[in-house]
Amino acid sequence: MGLLQEGTRESRLAALAGGWGVCCSKQERRLQGLLLEPSGNTPVVFAATKCGDCGPGYPTPQEAMKGPREEIVYLPCIYRNTGTEAPDYLATVDVDPKSPQYSQVIHRLPMPHLKDELHHSGWNTCSSCFGDSTKSRNKLVLPSFISSRIYVVDVGTEPRAPKLHKVIEAKDIHENTLGDPKGNGKGGFVLLDGETFEVKGTWERPGGSAPMGYDFWYQPRHNVMISTEWAAPNVLRDGFNPADVEAGLYGKHLHVWDWQRHEIVQTLLMPDGHIPLEIRFLHDPAASQGFVGCALSSTIQRFYKNEVTGTWSVEKVIEVPPKKVKGWMLPEMPGLITDILLSLSLDDRFLYFNNWLHGDMRQYDISDPKRPRLVGQIFLGGSIVKGGPVQVLEDQELKSQPEPLVVKRLSTPLGFPWCPQMIQLSLDGKRIYVTTSLYSDWDKQFYPDLIREGSVMLQIDVDTVKGGLKLNPNFLVDFGKEPLGPALAHEIRYPGGDCTF
């Protein structure tokens, strides 16, 4: 669900893209909003500094890397499709190794309705307002993937025990922006007031749309926003059907928007680019390039501006080859890149992504963005672990199927049905937090045991010098043991903002 907020300032739109150390440009003041991507993501940036004359965030990405270590994180937990008749909730998890509650859920905020399917989230303000001491990053915005409700949560009054601030009902939203009210693929962006969170209208011009809209990123310094495609709600709502790909019902395009005119000026058809989901510009506020992860094709594509013509292009820079398998729904299994961290460490040196089906997380050195280099890899479960129901017949990368991962605090080996999905990087780039649920209907189809047993949250230690990934054996949050029954944990957020935005 794409959304813009009016009143505070526009969210992600200036933060990483052009607003480091600047409190909302004149254009940003006119829009003054928070832009939610069509999937339900909202803008987010970095943790607030302790500065009496400063607003939220840091003046530069480099300064953000020097910020304090994260102590708690927020993440939505979903009960839809699990058999538990309870509302989704926002979990607060203690991630401070010095705390007696380390690696535990310390608070749960239930939503007032059932079957919302909370998905991605974001903040009410960002680092573009760093110079404005009247601004504060104190509201977390939680859009719902299925019900189209938007929940605004107060995390400023008591960060360790958030409370519900406002509910925006679907009837108050002009359109479901992953698609239209009938579930077709006409997406868009909804404009909210950043102080009252009242619906103001749509961001795109009348008659415009973000086809099959999912994610977006923007660079005001280049007068551009780029959005991605997933599929119409009617197509993906009840699971994945390979025939829908052949029928052209899943996305393959990037849409380039004129940031000032709010209209599409270029559409890029991507080679080997089925289902482009997460997109990120580099953190450098002047950067004119970034990356997008294409889930089904299991490729990472670099998009960039042609400086002579001012147009945009895209090229494939990473490809995860499929594996020929037996005992699965298709004869070939893609990696299925469902999340990328152009959390690009804040110094734009590393890129991270997960292969949700193969079960591995990867770290690439992108010092040369045209030629990413694999420097770290770890298997955290997935569908091809040894001893599982899938037999790998041919593998272009591995000599044997990976062993199930064993976590000492979990009674069963961490293999099937667990799989790395959402990832979040610490500001200093030294820790990655991982959850395992993608979307409850797809969880039910690809990892049915995940529905019955719940998801987990892990922490990976990162070698930021030579590259490398290693599991922290002392950290595990098992959402299979939640008080109301196993839950599906999704996207991770730090109270002050994080590397994703």
Side-chain angles (χ1 to χ4, degrees):
M1 157 178 312
L3 205 120
L4 216 37
Q5 229 171 301
E6 199 177 52
T8 351
R9 32 119 272 126
E10 44 135 316
S11 64
R12 195 157 77 189
L13 279 79
L16 298 179
W20 285 101
V22 180
C23 179
C24 313
S25 67
K26 183 182 295 183
Q27 177 195 350
E28 290 157 8
R29 287 184 184 277
R30 285 200 303 270
L31 286 174
Q32 290 193 322
L34 157 71
L35 195 59
L36 277 169
E37 39 207 90
S39 65
N41 296 7
T42 20
V44 184
V45 195
F46 304 98
T49 50
K50 296 180 179 179
C51 169
D53 297 323
C54 299
Y58 292 90
T60 66
Q62 290 73 23
E63 287 299 312
M65 293 187 74
K66 303 173 186 177
R69 177 175 174 140
E70 65 283 355
E71 295 182 352
I72 57 174
V73 299
Y74 304 122
L75 63 166
C77 294
I78 290 85
Y79 273 126
R80 179 174 169 269
N81 278 322
T82 66
T84 298
E85 289 296 308
D88 298 346
Y89 61 96
L90 182 69
T92 304
V93 175
D94 191 317
V95 295
D96 181 0
K98 295 178 288 187
S99 168
Q101 296 177 302
Y102 177 59
S103 188
Q104 296 178 32
V105 178
I106 60 173
H107 186 265
R108 299 169 184 86
L109 175 66
M111 301 300 112
H113 299 279
L114 298 175
K115 304 184 188 308
D116 284 313
E117 184 96 25
L118 299 178
H119 197 59
H120 292 177
S121 62
W123 301 101
N124 62 314
T125 189
C126 74
S127 286
S128 66
C129 293
F130 174 75
D132 188 345
S133 60
T134 68
K135 305 302 180 187
S136 176
R137 188 179 292 124
N138 57 6
K139 301 293 190 303
L140 184 66
V141 182
L142 293 167
S144 304
F145 199 73
I146 295 299
S147 71
S148 294
R149 290 187 186 93
I150 299 171
Y151 297 105
V152 182
V153 176
D154 176 4
V155 297
T157 302
E158 178 46 69
R160 298 177 72 88
K163 59 184 180 181
L164 191 60
H165 175 73
K166 186 179 180 69
V167 179
I168 304 171
E169 292 289 346
K171 63 182 177 62
D172 299 324
I173 301 172
H174 288 214
E175 59 181 346
N176 175 359
T177 55
L178 181 59
D180 63 20
K182 296 181 179 180
N184 300 313
K186 181 182 180 295
F189 305 98
V190 177
L191 184 67
L192 298 185
D193 185 286
E195 299 292 342
T196 66
F197 299 97
E198 296 295 324
V199 176
K200 306 295 289 187
T202 56
W203 178 82
E204 68 275 10
R205 281 177 173 268
S209 68
M212 303 186 197
Y214 186 70
D215 197 7
F216 69 87
W217 206 267
Y218 47 84
Q219 266 285 23
R221 293 190 186 186
H222 295 279
N223 189 39
V224 69
M225 180 176 78
I226 302 179
S227 63
T228 68
E229 298 181 337
W230 187 358
N234 286 340
V235 173
L236 57 87
R237 181 185 297 269
D238 297 321
F240 176 73
N241 184 347
D244 290 336
V245 178
E246 297 300 322
L249 300 178
Y250 278 90
K252 288 188 66 174
H253 300 88
L254 295 182
H255 299 284
V256 182
W257 297 73
D258 184 296
W259 176 239
Q260 294 186 23
R261 300 205 310 265
H262 303 186
E263 60 185 11
I264 294 175
V265 293
Q266 191 178 354
T267 293
L268 304 174
L269 175 64
M270 290 185 293
D272 300 320
H274 278 294
I275 313 184
L277 294 182
E278 309 289 344
I279 187 169
R280 306 285 183 267
F281 270 95
L282 298 182
H283 286 308
D284 178 354
S288 59
Q289 62 178 319
F291 299 91
V292 59
C294 300
L296 187 60
S297 301
S298 300
T299 61
I300 299 293
Q301 313 251 354
R302 183 180 79 98
F303 61 88
Y304 58 94
K305 184 178 182 180
N306 302 289
E307 299 302 333
V308 175
T309 63
T311 59
W312 294 79
S313 298
V314 64
E315 63 177 354
K316 180 173 64 177
V317 292
I318 299 172
E319 182 172 13
V320 177
K323 303 179 189 298
K324 292 186 178 181
V325 296
K326 180 181 179 181
W328 197 62
M329 63 184 294
L330 296 172
E332 287 193 344
M333 180 188 292
L336 206 71
I337 299 173
T338 51
D339 194 18
I340 60 174
L341 264 184
L342 300 169
S343 266
L344 289 173
S345 52
L346 288 174
D347 55 5
D348 288 336
R349 183 183 170 195
F350 294 115
L351 175 152
Y352 303 87
F353 67 80
N354 285 332
N355 289 303
W356 191 59
L357 292 178
H358 290 177
D360 61 315
M361 175 191 294
R362 301 189 181 200
Q363 176 191 26
Y364 283 81
D365 186 320
I366 55 167
S367 299
D368 180 355
K370 297 179 181 179
R371 299 173 182 83
R373 181 170 57 91
L374 181 64
V375 294
Q377 184 178 23
I378 184 173
F379 277 85
L380 300 171
S383 295
I384 62 167
V385 292
K386 191 175 294 184
V390 176
Q391 179 185 358
V392 177
L393 304 177
E394 185 177 322
D395 194 326
Q396 299 179 42
E397 295 184 314
L398 303 176
K399 295 181 179 179
S400 62
Q401 292 180 233
E403 296 287 341
L405 182 68
V406 177
V407 180
K408 66 180 183 180
R409 291 178 55 189
L410 202 62
S411 57
T412 26
L414 191 61
F416 196 86
W418 290 279
C419 41
Q421 211 288 78
M422 296 305 296
I423 50 181
Q424 190 57 265
L425 184 68
S426 61
L427 293 181
D428 61 10
K430 296 180 179 180
R431 292 166 302 285
I432 296 177
Y433 296 92
V434 190
T435 56
T436 54
S437 169
L438 169 58
Y439 162 53
S440 67
D441 285 287
W442 286 28
D443 293 347
K444 181 172 62 175
Q445 180 177 2
F446 291 102
Y447 291 103
D449 288 348
L450 184 62
I451 296 290
R452 292 187 291 270
E453 299 181 29
S455 58
V456 297
M457 177 179 171
L458 304 171
Q459 188 246 299
I460 307 300
D461 292 324
V462 180
D463 185 334
T464 58
V465 179
K466 298 180 180 180
L469 303 172
K470 183 179 179 181
L471 179 72
N472 176 357
N474 298 314
F475 185 94
L476 171 74
V477 183
D478 185 358
F479 289 95
K481 297 179 179 178
E482 284 296 272
L484 297 181
L488 303 171
H490 195 59
E491 190 185 41
I492 303 158
R493 291 275 172 248
Y494 305 148
D498 41 62
C499 287
T500 305
F501 298 111

